[in-house]
Amino acid sequence: MTASIIDGKAIAAALRGKIAGEARRLKEAHGLTPGIAVVLVGENPASQVYVRNKSKALAEAGMRAVDRKLPADISEAALLDLVAALNADAHVHGILVQLPLPPQIDAHKIIAAIDPAKDVDGFHPLNVGRLASGLPGLVPCTPLGCVMLAKSARGSLAGLEAVVVGRSNIVGKPVAQLLLAENATVTVCHSKTRDLAAVCRRADLLVAAIGRAEMVRGGWVKPGATVIDVGINRVAGEGGKSRLVGDAAFAEVAEVAGAITPVPGGVGPMTIACLLLNTLRAACAQKGLAAPKL
Ligand code: NAP
């Protein structure tokens, strides 16, 4: 193997330690405990795990997470009422509505109802527009984590040829915007892209956010490139057990790349660390305090 491993777990742990220090300082200096409301509708097992992990991480960093669990058959109007109440609650600095939502609820409507200042997921159209316009705002957690990992491997991203595979609103598009803001030259690929492998081979920095197990092969990667693998795919493993793999065929790609994020232990831990960062930033902004430099 030639690639060095970008240790997302360690980088996320270091960031979480710094955030916890800042949270302590905010409490001592300003009596402020950053806190968010985590809204979970229904009983999707994966969502339950995500929500539990997020709440635990917030508590470990000295912040407050209030879980609001709601029945799967809740009406859209009732959920909008809850969002309005959380918007008005001064102790709640962030609102996270775990997706997906049940079919009777329009997720776009719910996201648009969240106060953009409390939008710790960075999905509100105003924050999306701010990111696209190069203005400060809350940025989606997974893309922010991807860029931090890329910078940990490359330092400056300015002038790099970056290829993002995937154009979802939660990963591909915001990653592309953040890379553009870092002065990379960015190409965004999707299911209609012609000769995807050839486009990927141009990349100094390749971000795979596809949701297809091990789709990116060794031959798709430019020697020495940095590969950020966002994919989380469960596949059949040995002995009837399942295991997690990314969107890149790790063993093959690691023979060619200069640096690569593993799955698990790469982008995943950074997502949660960046949620803590957004919570801290949102709380500071709402109290008129300067955002901590982390
Ligand atoms: P998504 O909404 O399903 O988007 C997938 C994107 O990949 C789409 O833009 C799609 O293109 C593109 N795509 C699909 N098949 C393709 C193909 N054969 N060739 C080229 N492009 C193709 O997924 P997502 O929410 O962005 O998530 C992507 C992956 O990241 C998933 O594995 C997800 O579990 C993972 N994820 C991880 C984290 C984390 O914290 N680590 C967070 C979020 C997501 P079209 O637009 O043309 O359909």
Side-chain angles (χ1 to χ4, degrees):
M1 190 174 96
T2 61
S4 61
I5 302 296
I6 303 172
D7 188 346
K9 217 169 154 187
I11 295 168
L15 179 57
R16 282 168 64 164
K18 284 189 203 161
I19 292 167
E22 274 303 318
R24 261 196 310 277
R25 196 188 60 75
L26 279 178
K27 193 165 187 177
E28 283 161 17
H30 303 283
L32 171 63
T33 303
I36 69 170
V38 182
V39 180
L40 175 62
V41 180
E43 297 187 351
N44 178 323
S47 294
Q48 285 174 329
V49 172
Y50 293 144
V51 162
R52 206 177 313 127
N53 289 344
K54 287 170 185 174
S55 298
K56 189 166 160 257
L58 280 152
E60 280 171 10
M63 299 194 246
R64 217 180 23 239
V66 180
D67 289 349
R68 304 297 296 263
K69 296 201 167 86
L70 304 165
D73 62 354
I74 187 174
S75 70
E76 188 177 88
L79 187 54
L80 285 169
D81 285 347
L82 173 64
V83 169
L86 295 172
N87 282 342
D89 186 339
H91 295 294
V92 172
H93 306 107
I95 302 169
L96 187 157
V97 179
Q98 184 65 45
L99 302 176
L101 290 169
Q104 77 275 15
I105 296 173
D106 180 348
H108 294 292
K109 229 181 192 176
I110 303 299
I111 290 166
I114 295 172
D115 177 349
K118 298 189 177 187
D119 171 37
V120 283
D121 261 338
F123 295 158
H124 189 286
L126 198 81
N127 284 320
V128 175
R130 281 179 178 150
L131 176 59
S133 307
L135 297 171
L138 289 164
V139 169
C141 303
T142 300
L144 187 56
C146 290
V147 172
M148 286 180 179
L149 292 177
K151 286 172 87 171
S152 79
R154 302 293 296 231
S156 168
L157 307 182
L160 292 189
E161 185 94 34
V163 172
V164 179
V165 189
R167 57 173 165 181
S168 72
N169 289 333
I170 64 167
V171 190
K173 282 182 200 153
V175 155
Q177 293 290 355
L178 286 169
L179 293 174
L180 204 52
E182 293 290 338
N183 296 313
T185 302
V186 185
T187 302
V188 183
C189 302
H190 46 78
S191 64
K192 307 290 185 292
T193 297
R194 266 182 284 160
D195 204 352
L196 183 59
V199 180
C200 290
R201 265 195 301 275
R202 295 205 313 250
D204 304 307
L205 172 60
L206 180 59
V207 180
I210 316 165
R212 309 240 166 199
E214 302 181 319
M215 185 172 146
V216 175
R217 312 305 308 189
W220 295 27
V221 175
K222 178 174 171 178
T226 300
V227 178
I228 307 293
D229 189 349
V230 188
I232 302 178
N233 309 287
R234 194 163 281 285
V235 296
E238 281 169 23
K241 289 191 181 153
S242 67
R243 63 188 178 98
L244 291 180
V245 298
D247 287 343
F250 183 85
E252 270 179 35
V253 171
E255 290 297 332
V256 187
I260 184 169
T261 57
V263 178
V267 174
M270 288 302 286
T271 297
I272 290 197
C274 289
L275 173 66
L276 305 188
L277 186 58
N278 276 353
T279 303
L280 196 65
R281 286 177 173 164
C284 288
Q286 282 160 56
K287 293 291 168 190
L289 303 170
K293 299 231 179 307
L294 292 172

